[in-house]
């Protein structure tokens, strides 16, 4: 099920386990041409650093090089938003949630036809990937 309530994020909830959703997220992003540049286990990091207990949450730093290159050429400072973060987490109800920054957000920061095209392409690819994850749980 995809949520559109959060404009800054594209969000799906899945019946997949956390581990299965994390793996499916990596695979579906790869299917759409995204590589994973970084992976942060936020729950483990916070546990180690400050002793905090929280449900599983991993941040994947996803990048599709042609889109990143076009975006940086169009607006050099847009790099502060790259790579695109995709989060896999368990919510308070125990459901697995996968969410990504809505690439349209970039066009609120900077403008231009090239950046709008990059955001559109990225949004379509990310939405397809997340929709495939949601469909896998049915």
């Amino acid at each position: 099920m995809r949520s559109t309530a959060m404009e800054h994020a594209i969000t799906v909830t899945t019946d997949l386990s956390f581990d299965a959703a994390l793996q499916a997220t990596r695979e579906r992003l790869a299917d759409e041409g995204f590589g994973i540049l970084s992976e942060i286990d936020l729950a483990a990091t916070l546990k180690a650093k400050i002793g905090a207990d929280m449900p599983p949450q991993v941040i994947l730093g996803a990048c599709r090089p042609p889109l990143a290159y076009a975006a940086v050429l169009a607006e050099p400072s847009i790099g502060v938003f790259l790579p695109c973060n995709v989060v896999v987490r368990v919510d308070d109800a125990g459901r697995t949630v996968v969410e990504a920054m809505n690439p349209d957000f970039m066009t609120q920061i900077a403008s231009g036809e090239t950046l709008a095209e990059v955001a559109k392409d990225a949004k379509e690819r990310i939405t397809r990937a997340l929709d495939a994850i949601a469909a896998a749980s049915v």
Side-chain angles (χ1 to χ4, degrees):
M1 162 195 337
R2 182 156 35 105
S3 168
T4 55
M6 299 175 71
E7 293 180 20
H8 67 279
I10 301 166
T11 304
V12 297
T13 303
T14 176
D15 294 330
L16 294 173
S17 70
F18 174 80
D19 290 332
L22 184 58
Q23 184 60 33
T25 301
R26 289 186 194 105
E27 292 169 1
R28 297 301 73 80
L29 288 170
D31 291 347
E32 293 294 335
F34 290 88
I36 304 301
L37 300 179
S38 62
E39 186 166 326
I40 301 166
D41 185 333
L42 189 58
T45 299
L46 294 178
K47 179 68 174 175
K49 299 291 183 184
I50 63 172
D53 288 314
M54 62 181 289
Q57 184 166 158
V58 170
I59 303 168
L60 301 174
C63 178
R64 187 170 196 294
L67 293 177
Y69 181 64
V72 170
L73 284 179
E75 176 56 53
S77 63
I78 207 73
V80 299
F81 295 104
L82 301 176
C84 297
N85 285 333
V86 179
V87 176
V88 180
R89 63 183 177 84
V90 174
D91 69 11
D92 292 338
R95 298 171 302 188
T96 304
V97 176
V98 182
E99 52 196 349
M101 182 187 82
N102 184 341
D104 287 342
F105 189 68
M106 288 188 303
T107 63
Q108 295 176 11
I109 307 307
S111 61
E113 185 177 328
T114 301
L115 198 54
E117 290 172 12
V118 167
K120 181 178 185 274
D121 187 351
K123 184 177 183 178
E124 289 170 355
R125 291 172 184 277
I126 291 169
T127 299
R128 278 194 304 264
L130 270 59
D131 283 349
I133 295 162
S137 64
V138 177

